[in-house]
Amino acid sequence: MLFAVIAALLAQEPPPFETTFDPGRGLELRAGGSALGLAPGADFGLSLRLRGDRDSRSKAGTSWLHAHRLVMADARAGPGQRQLSLAAYEGIARRHVDDGSLLLPTSPPLRLPFPLDLGLYARIARYERRVEDGLGWSLETARVAMLFDPLRSGSGRFHLGFGPSLAHVLRHDGAVLHNELTPLTALQLFVSLESDDGLWVFRSAGQAGFTFDPAALQTGGTFRARGEVTLERVLLAVNDHPVSLQLRASGAFRDAGALSANEWSAGGALKVQLFAHR
Amino acid sequence: MLPTLLALALSQAPDPEPPAGPVTSAPVITIETADEVQHLRYDQEVYCAQLPPTAAVPSGRYRVQCDDAAHVCLVAPNKVLRDGVETEEELQRLTYCGALPEGRLEALAATHRFVEAVAEAPDGWYRDDAGRIVQVNFDLHRRVYFGGAWAPLFRPGGASDLSRASGLLGRGRADFGIELELAEADVRAVYRLHILEGSAWLGGDELRLMATAIRFDWSASRLSPPLWVTTFIGKPRRFDLDLNLHGWFETLRLELISDKGFLTLASANASLDLWHSKDLQSYLRVRVGPAAELDVQTKSVALRPEGAVEGDFTLDADGFHHLTGAVSFEKLFFEQPIDGRRGNPQRFRARLGYELILLAINDYPLTLVVDARALWRDDLPNVRPQWDFGLDAGLRFSFWAPQRRTAVPVLRRGRG
């Protein structure tokens, strides 16, 4: 009897389930821990990812690959730390051409191979508040960068973009509100690499360069840098919603919080990504 | 709502008599007597026919159901018999009978035996040899009930001082409630609605009332597992988790104890069936969730997380034996501080009950109800937290209580 039941169970067709995912879409929920400097803390995050592609209507052989991240919220709680970061939007749109070229207006015109895709990076309304900084806060109203991508992948799973960025930041140190401008004097980096099945994801983003305070131009620019690297691996899926282990490291040089502090952090988190179906 | 439900319950009075239809006139037919009483089937076609008059059925009006494979027609009198003779009393709860086609009766007379039988009865109902019908299968999850019980209370003394124990024998309980249970046609989901259900304990120096305006919950039997986990370490594997996760909701639950009153504004629990029967009427489940509770005296609202393990078991196919039980826990948070009461008070309740149908009056069951109860609470100001135990025994009368959805044809009294 028992053998018959086991045989019947083994003979059953296994129900279908997702084994590949799209890390570029869905609602991300993240919870984990990290060390900020040497201080431990718990991290929580939420964001909505969307992406897509479409062929250009005006230029044959050209396609637009775009990835967006909306309603980003990150919070951190730990001994003496209560931090909140909110951002409305972050995304890129890369123009991929099958055969890149540069046309020189000589006579006759000269057509040179151009081994880079062009793209646009934007981040809008990023607010950062740290209770331990007192009353201070910072708000990056917008950051826009033109990206060059030497990978030139025809897939939205691979981006490697770098280029000059333009930004405006309001930083209130608790007493005085400062305007900070980055007039194409910083370098923006954006990297996103995914495995075919979407189980592995590597991402990195950051910027480094000089910012200027219009009220104190005579003091010159201030070098600031900020960057983040994440590596994710899907461990399991619950009802076909992937759950990933995420390792994360980040650093900031004269750019963290309202007080423009230096800091680094490293940690891990579990991330569930709802509706990440292909 | 209540009058509607009562009207619905009372409408269990006999179904409208199906039209008898034209009666086919009689050729020469001999009606044989069966060794064992035969019954017409409710779910198969029945004809009304005029057969030769007999001493028992002088009118010759019969209900006829034929089995062409066996070449047998069962024939049953179309009226109730008394002392073995047909009366004018109509049979109740019959299916429609049509007239036999022209010449069909003569053809049957040539090829079929005609055997005496008892008229058809719906599932869960029994028709005796005289044609009278009684309900022998009851669904106590669909009813309007009221009842009373003797409900003595016992409070033990301290752990090492039973001399402080006290008992209260002169105490009674009154019950009322409306239970509805709606099931999908294929019984893949059962929705339970309890309306105005409650009990009041009277007698002694303490009045207790526990009544709920509306409680709603459901159980479902799913075709596919509601939760599955896929692992991606090595070859992807899927593990199905057959969780029976459902909902349980309650609103306007009033608890009065002496001069204290607590009103649950709303409660929402997630419930997990640890087990349920195939018809979903019996279950053992765990539920947890938050509730908002109003302290009637202080007019303050507190958050009340709660949890319970509860079961309801129908022990026999005809629904005569029911075992119920629950262990529940409640704790108040953000409550208004009250002198003489500790912060974040809590309540612990346990109940084990048994209900047995003793008899039915006009097909409405009268049940014996026995409950054992235990209660511990520290939410009453200036009252020493302690256990009290009750053992209630009484009777309950239920309107409506139709046959269970799982009822089968009853061809012998009390048996399917």
Side-chain angles (χ1 to χ4, degrees), chain B residues 110-132:
Chain B
T111 57
H112 287 58
R113 293 166 48 228
F114 283 67
V115 178
E116 191 178 70
V118 175
E120 71 276 12
D123 294 348
W125 293 73
Y126 171 74
R127 193 179 299 282
D128 65 12
D129 296 355
R132 295 173 304 181

Side-chain angles (χ1 to χ4, degrees), chain B residues 26 66 83 118 130-131 136 150 156 160 172 212 216-217 239 246 270-271 284 288 290 299 354 373:
Chain B
C66 294
D83 299 328
V118 175
V136 293
W150 178 53
S160 58
T212 304
F216 174 72
D217 69 274
F239 300 91
H246 310 114
S271 72
L284 176 66
V288 291
K299 303 286 189 296
Y354 176 69
R373 296 165 187 267

Side-chain angles (χ1 to χ4, degrees), chain A residues 94-97 100-101 113-119 147-152 160 162:
Chain A
R94 176 162 61 88
R95 179 178 173 273
H96 170 70
V97 291
S101 65
F114 186 71
L116 300 171
D117 277 351
L118 296 179
L147 298 181
F148 300 94
D149 189 332
L151 278 184
R152 297 186 63 245
L160 173 57
F162 57 87

Side-chain angles (χ1 to χ4, degrees), chain B residues 66 69 137-138 152 158 160 183 223 294 318 325 365 378 380 390:
Chain B
C66 294
N137 179 297
F138 298 91
S160 58
L223 287 171
L294 173 73
D318 287 326
D378 62 356
L380 302 176

Side-chain angles (χ1 to χ4, degrees), chain B residues 163 268 394:
Chain B
S163 64

Side-chain angles (χ1 to χ4, degrees), chain A residues 65 94 96 153-159:
Chain A
L65 306 166
R94 176 162 61 88
H96 170 70
S153 170
S155 162
R157 294 189 290 113
F158 302 102
H159 295 282

Side-chain angles (χ1 to χ4, degrees), chain A residues 15-19 21 233-240, chain B residues 225-234 236-238 240:
Chain A
F17 55 92
E18 300 278 351
T19 56
F21 302 98
R233 171 66 161 94
V234 175
L235 298 179
L236 53 89
V238 178
N239 282 24
D240 293 337
Chain B
L227 184 66
W228 65 92
V229 174
T230 315
T231 59
F232 293 94
I233 308 300
R237 290 173 186 271
R238 169 173 159 158
D240 291 347

